[in-house]
Amino acid sequence: MALSASDLPTMYSLLANSLSGDETLRKPAEAALSQSENRPGFSSCLMEIITSKDLASQADVRLIASVYFKNSVNRYWRNRRDSTGISNEEKIHLRQKLLSHLREENYQIALQLAVIISKIARIDYPREWPELYSVLAQRLQSADVLTSHRIFMVLFRSLKELSTMRLPAHQRKFAEISSHLFEFSWQLWQNDMKTILHAFSSLGQSFTSNAPVEHQDDLYLTCERWLFCLKVVRQLIISGFQSDAKSIQEVHPVKEVCPMFLNAIQSFLPYYLSFQQRHQKFWDFTKRACTKLMKVIVSVHDRHPYSFGDNCVIMPVMEFCFNRITNPEPEIISFEEFVIQCMIMVKSILECKEYKPSLTGRVMNEKEVSMEQMKKNISTVVRDTLRSLLPDERVVLLCNILIRRFFVLTSSDLDEWYQSPESFHHEQDMVQWTEKLRPCAEALYIVLFENHSQLLGPVVVSILQEAMNGCPASETSITPGMLLKDAAYGAAGHVYYELSNYLNFKDWFDRALSLELMNDHPNMRIIHRKVALVLGQWVSEIKDDSKRQVYCALIRLLQGKDLAVKLAVCRSLCFLVEDANFSKKDFIDLLPTCWDLCFKLVEDVQEFDSKVQVLNFISVLIEHANEILPFASTLVDFFQKAWEESSGESLLQIQLLVALRNFVIALGYQSPICYNLLLPILQRGIDINSPDELNLLEDSVMLWEATLSNAPSMVPQLLGFFPSLVDIIERSFDHLQLAVNIMEGYIILGGTEFLNLHASSVAKLLDTIVANVNDRGLKSTLPVIEILIQCFPMEAPPMIAATVQRLILICLSGGDDRDPSKTVVKTSSAAILARILVTNTNYVGHITSEPSLSAALQQAGVSIRENILLSLVDMWLEKVDNATVIQQKTFGLALAIMLTLRLPQVLDKIDQILSTCTSIILRGSDDINEESSGDNMSSNLSHHKDNFPNPSLRSYKTDITWDVT
């Protein structure tokens, strides 16, 4: 039943009660609202409450009404089969009502309404709501400051929503919107800019903040409108024009707006300090405005690099940013967010691929040659401009500034380290480089060094030498010299791949690093942490004669007290152990100590990221350990405790599952010693009804596969897990390859006991897969069907009769002439049917005469000239040249058996059959190893013929390979 105006009082009461702190009022109200949300008229009632003048003072009720309205739009605006949704008539009413209520005074409600309009626009514009932007543009012409602010809020939200629609028709429509809105938005932005700067000048000249509150409120609203206008202009330029990197067409607004944005930044910056004490609200705006303006310039460059490369844009921007980094004004020094954006801008320009010479060639038509030449010409001009902006001396200056000013730890950094070593480590080591000043400076330095490695290599080495001379290994005081050495070590670590041409690692380690690691003074934690990180970064330069020393030095640091140092050691040891040249003989006797220290570290650290990092290192140690058995009992106890303590921490449990998988693989045949721990964890992980299924299923399935691959025999509890595989595949084919591998393990390891217990599940699983997957999925699945028939030639075919019928349908349908993937699938399916004929001839005769098969073929439009069995003979003769050696032998045996049946239609083909069989025999067994590793089908086992986890699998491999010869 539809809601109407008479229901408004009830609706208002429910909304008010839903905000109550009294649960006896709130719960029933929420339940009633939930039951009403799919009723016609629900959204209209909410809209009436939001826009009612009588309820203007009831902001909390109107706000919750707007939230319910937004949720209703998300759920019911599109037509849904399970709900009547919102009728077209109600939609028309709501769209009109929304555009008539743009002057909402409450900011939070106005924001919700803007989001609602953007959600509706994504669905309805332009077909159902073509007038949206023309109405908004018209309202802007005569709007006051508040209304225009709200309209620009709506414009920003809706344009942002529409910009994510990537179909060509949508992009053309967005370009049309941009052409209509840009000029007005740009003019308003410039006018507001003049108004704001004039007002700021007056505020800056006054020594008190006694200006009328109303005037300051109006000014602040203008400032906020200006910001929304800036965001709209950005959206129109970014999404309203195709990237000039693709079109090679100049985007003229880039040359117009970017210099103006830069001027605006320069105009605002002086107020950053002057407003900080007396005009906090406008100081906050100034900070946001400067940061946002620079972000917009960065995004414009990333979208339209060629238009940005014009001298009138790139030169002033690059010069400005370079100066702000190397020689900042007093107001810039404390403005870290802005300095970060300047660094991002310089980095973006330096690494822009459009400005670099093309190093690869490709075949192009005349039009492409013309475009490539245009790109080359533009990039050449930009490179010349950048060379004039950044001559060698300025490159060296920037490198020095980055290392000596921005890499050096500050007193606040050291205080943070002392207060919370874990937080300090993760902030320095893992934080997004765009969020903090030092990581951003490091990212810029790396790009700068990549572009000028021959120039900067000797410069960095000289800074390193200067720092080591100024702070010898015996120095323990935290001096500027020690902090510079820490910075120089960091600089050397970041560019190890190029700096190794100028710096000999062994000399550096022997003469400095090893000596510093022996100094146990507490203040040396600064150098110890950085040396630990450097050893991980320079792993490729650590030669055999230094490996043992490095391993011992890092294990020694792992015995220290500082968590930031120990976490850095874990990170670097992980790199060293994973290195292709890892020396197990030099590390093996350190392994017991390493295990103990890691187990203790997991207990000592408190932060989630720290635990994940240490668990990752433990997993890597397990994976690369030569002999895991002596530590198995200790590891089982560790995993048991860690799993219990990680309850509710899905990401931590994922890391534990990875480590457990490596543990099982390392144990190999001995893996049952951990089954008391492993199997309960596995059972919970593969349960699709588990609360953590979404997070843990994939890693649990991988653990399941590893468990079966390394099991010496089947155990009852593991045997009982198989039905979960059916549940997993019925939900999704995301884990198909793993599921096929698991099924293969059960067939071979479980034998007759498995088949007797789970025959119906096997049949259901295979039929589900073969009936629904594409050719790629079939290529993964057909080998396990063949293995099933090899292992159980009499029992399996009748058990999977539906699947066998589908294989016949695949073989006899057309359409593989030009599709290699389909050819492989057909050939493999035909080989399976040939094997069934060889091992269970009577069953083939039975199933090919089934009326259900004839009906299925007829329904699929497959015409059979004589009978199905004879059509299969034709298929075997046709596909023999596409088959692998084993498949060819199977075809040959099947054809030979068909001859013994003495059917006249078969005897008519005797010459072709004998010729085919003779060819197969003459090829002999010399070709047995010529199995293709590409599209040709082979079982999962045959890809790993020398790596079987137990003897029983090897014996099955022998049967599989030679039983048809």
Side-chain angles (χ1 to χ4, degrees), residues 137-149:
Q138 183 181 358
R139 299 278 175 85
L140 274 173
Q141 306 296 329
S142 58
D144 59 13
V145 176
L146 178 62
T147 306
S148 60
H149 174 275

Side-chain angles (χ1 to χ4, degrees), residues 270-287:
Y271 297 107
Y272 178 76
L273 282 183
S274 61
F275 282 177
Q276 191 166 4
Q277 300 299 325
R278 292 181 290 116
H279 302 290
Q280 188 70 31
K281 186 164 63 173
F282 293 110
W283 173 78
D284 177 71
F285 164 77
T286 302
K287 185 166 71 169

Side-chain angles (χ1 to χ4, degrees), residues 487-540:
Y489 281 8
H494 288 309
V495 293
Y496 62 92
Y497 47 88
E498 291 281 1
L499 200 63
S500 58
N501 296 325
Y502 305 92
L503 178 64
N504 183 285
F505 174 80
K506 181 169 176 55
D507 290 346
W508 185 22
F509 182 79
D510 291 342
R511 297 177 183 178
L513 303 184
S514 61
L515 302 177
E516 288 159 345
L517 293 177
M518 297 297 293
N519 189 335
D520 291 330
H521 192 280
N523 288 344
M524 288 299 290
R525 74 186 192 279
I526 297 172
I527 302 301
H528 286 173
R529 177 180 177 274
K530 195 55 61 74
V531 171
L533 292 174
V534 165
L535 293 177
Q537 291 163 322
W538 281 70
V539 59
S540 60

Side-chain angles (χ1 to χ4, degrees), residues 582-859:
F582 173 59
S583 175
K584 292 183 178 180
K585 66 180 178 62
D586 289 324
F587 196 83
I588 187 66
D589 63 313
L590 302 173
L591 196 55
T593 304
C594 197
W595 286 128
D596 292 340
L597 292 170
C598 286
F599 297 155
K600 184 176 185 303
L601 186 55
V602 170
E603 295 180 356
D604 290 344
V605 295
Q606 300 299 317
E607 294 195 11
F608 172 81
D609 288 338
S610 303
K611 290 184 181 293
V612 168
Q613 186 175 341
V614 181
L615 282 174
N616 180 58
F617 177 47
I618 291 173
S619 178
V620 169
L621 276 180
I622 293 170
E623 186 178 0
H624 291 85
N626 253 351
E627 181 58 59
I628 202 73
L629 200 58
F631 314 105
S633 177
T634 305
L635 281 166
V636 167
D637 292 341
F638 163 74
F639 281 122
Q640 187 73 57
K641 184 178 181 182
W643 189 266
E644 292 169 357
E645 292 177 351
S646 67
S647 177
E649 296 279 2
S650 295
L651 294 176
L652 203 58
Q653 290 185 333
I654 288 172
Q655 199 65 51
L656 281 166
L657 288 171
V658 173
L660 264 175
R661 179 172 176 268
N662 287 339
F663 184 39
V664 169
I665 293 170
L667 286 172
Y669 308 148
Q670 307 295 328
S671 58
I673 66 176
C674 71
Y675 277 8
N676 288 339
L677 159 75
L678 174 66
L679 296 184
I681 291 175
L682 186 55
Q683 186 173 18
R684 287 194 295 270
I686 60 177
D687 180 5
I688 63 170
N689 298 313
S690 167
D692 292 325
E693 177 269 336
L694 185 65
N695 297 315
L696 303 183
L697 182 62
E698 181 175 2
D699 291 284
S700 297
V701 172
M702 292 175 69
L703 177 59
W704 192 2
E705 180 198 31
T707 302
L708 283 168
S709 298
N710 292 276
S713 60
M714 184 62 71
V715 297
Q717 191 174 356
L718 194 56
L719 191 63
F721 290 171
F722 185 77
S724 295
L725 193 62
V726 182
D727 297 335
I728 291 168
I729 288 298
E730 284 185 330
R731 172 175 287 195
S732 161
F733 294 117
D734 291 346
H735 312 296
L736 178 61
Q737 185 60 63
L738 288 170
V740 167
N741 296 346
I742 289 168
M743 182 188 281
E744 186 176 312
Y746 272 103
I747 291 168
I748 294 173
L749 202 61
T752 305
E753 182 185 7
F754 162 70
L755 202 66
N756 291 338
L757 191 61
H758 296 300
S760 60
S761 294
V762 172
K764 183 179 181 181
L765 183 60
L766 288 176
D767 191 48
T768 299
I769 295 172
V770 175
N772 293 286
V773 300
N774 57 18
D775 290 335
R776 183 180 177 187
L778 286 171
K779 286 167 65 178
S780 298
T781 308
L782 291 176
V784 81
I785 298 175
E786 186 164 16
I787 288 172
L788 178 66
I789 291 165
Q790 288 172 350
C791 295
F792 308 102
M794 302 305 294
E795 301 91 339
M799 181 185 79
I800 60 168
T803 300
V804 174
Q805 284 196 6
R806 294 188 191 281
L807 296 183
I808 294 173
L809 194 63
I810 289 170
C811 284
L812 301 185
S813 59
D816 69 324
D817 294 342
R818 297 184 179 179
D819 189 337
S821 186
K822 281 192 180 300
T823 299
V824 172
V825 169
K826 274 196 175 187
T827 304
S828 300
S829 300
I832 292 171
L833 295 171
R835 183 178 290 278
I836 296 174
L837 180 73
V838 171
T839 58
N840 198 340
T841 307
N842 290 336
Y843 179 74
V844 174
H846 166 73
I847 197 168
T848 54
S849 61
E850 282 280 332
S852 59
L853 177 58
S854 299
L857 289 167
Q858 187 175 359
Q859 186 177 358

